[in-house]
Structure formats: C-alpha cells, structure tokens
Amino acid sequence: MKAIRRHPHLIAAIILAALLVFLAWMFPGSRNIDVTLTATEYRLDDPDYAVEHTVSIQGRDTRNRLGKGAFQGTIAISGLEGMEDATEVLASLDSEYPLATAAFRKPTIPLSVLVPNWDYTEFLALLSNESAGEARSTGGTSMRFLVSGLPDRDAALSKAAELARNTFWADSFQ
C-alpha cells in the first residue's frame, strides 16, 4: 500500500498503458488477402451432391479480434454462374449475422454469406437459390453451400458447423 501511495502516477501510467494495448488489440487492422482454394459445393437436401470449384479471394479484411469487421475485394468461383469472373464483393464478417453482397453490380450474385477463418485458409459460403424471376433466398432444406476443401461431406459439415458457430446459420449445420 505504501508503494501505491508513493507512486500513484506510476500505477495510473501502467493502467493507461494496459488499456491502450487492449484497445489496439480490439480495433480492426487492415490486411491483404490473396488466396486460391479448392472448395466443394453441397446441398443440404441431397447427400450425393458434391461439386468441386476453385475459389479465388483477393481484397482487404478489416476484422477486430472479436471477428467483427468486413471484407472488400473480389471473389471468383469456377463453375458457378454469376461468379466465374472476379466479382466485386462486400462482406460483413459480423460474428452473428454475416452477409455478402455484390459491389457495383446490378444483378444479384449467388453468394449471400461468407464466413472465413482468420487467415482465409478455410471458409464457408452460403449460396442463394433463385426462385421465380430474380428473387433469391438463402437457407431452408434446399440450401446450397461451399466449404473449402476436397469432397468429403462429413468433414465439410463438421467444418461448416465450426465456421458457422455463433452465427445465425449455426443451426443449419447441426
């Protein structure tokens, strides 16, 4: 106690320094992403459906340590209509309600959710289904999704459940 009374400024400086380090750790940093991965597309309602794709992701990730932030860049998915060429994408990487939308493009794209891990070596992407006209929906029993990695449905569902943990979509993969 005597040391605290003798050096109150030192204690305040230590507390302030710890607070600044914590805040710097929490605020989003910006980093470049440039990966090309093999991913497999699945359908929840068809256990035999598995289509391989090559996915290229390039852009900037600005997430904080809690996983909240955004991705802005391009995504190309081979063999997926509307995404074969590099497409400008804005993705909210909010930990509970992730969302991906086309940037600067009038037609909607089939990518509706992107959930990457921290270094983008793994990801889950939810694809929208087109119904009558141009209306699109995501979810339901006919939901289509991409998971990074070679075809192995059980491993993909496990990885999807892990990546979707703590999001609105977590129950879809249980």
Side-chain angles (χ1 to χ4, degrees):
M1 284 302 246
K2 289 182 181 182
I4 294 174
R5 287 186 207 146
R6 288 185 195 163
H7 306 288
H9 298 327
L10 178 63
I11 301 301
I14 291 171
I15 291 171
L16 181 60
L19 180 62
L20 289 174
V21 167
F22 175 75
L23 289 174
W25 183 74
M26 289 300 297
F27 280 104
S30 180
R31 56 202 169 93
N32 285 326
I33 304 301
D34 187 357
V35 297
T36 299
L37 303 165
T38 297
T40 305
E41 178 184 350
Y42 299 95
R43 292 180 61 107
L44 284 180
D45 63 351
D46 185 351
D48 296 323
Y49 186 86
V51 177
E52 277 187 59
H53 300 276
T54 300
V55 179
S56 296
I57 304 172
Q58 297 176 326
R60 307 235 4 118
D61 179 291
T62 56
R63 277 186 281 181
N64 67 17
R65 296 294 178 183
L66 296 176
K68 294 184 184 234
F71 168 81
Q72 181 174 358
T74 62
I75 298 178
I77 304 172
S78 68
L80 185 63
E81 188 177 340
M83 295 290 297
E84 286 124 345
D85 297 324
T87 303
E88 287 282 331
V89 172
L90 300 173
S92 164
L93 303 178
D94 182 280
S95 55
E96 190 174 355
Y97 296 104
L99 175 68
T101 60
F104 315 115
R105 245 183 115 182
K106 283 197 173 208
T108 58
I109 59 173
L111 178 68
S112 61
V113 174
L114 176 66
V115 184
N117 67 352
W118 190 254
D119 60 3
Y120 285 72
T121 56
E122 296 181 339
F123 71 88
L124 165 65
L126 303 184
L127 304 173
S128 59
N129 295 315
E130 189 170 334
S131 55
E134 290 195 24
R136 293 187 178 267
S137 64
T138 303
T141 58
S142 64
M143 182 169 67
R144 299 181 310 143
F145 61 99
L146 278 172
V147 177
S148 53
L150 296 172
D152 179 342
R153 187 176 177 84
D154 291 335
L157 286 170
S158 177
K159 188 185 294 186
E162 178 185 327
L163 290 166
R165 186 181 66 237
N166 298 325
T167 72
F168 174 81
W169 301 102
D171 290 343
S172 298
F173 301 102
Q174 299 305 318

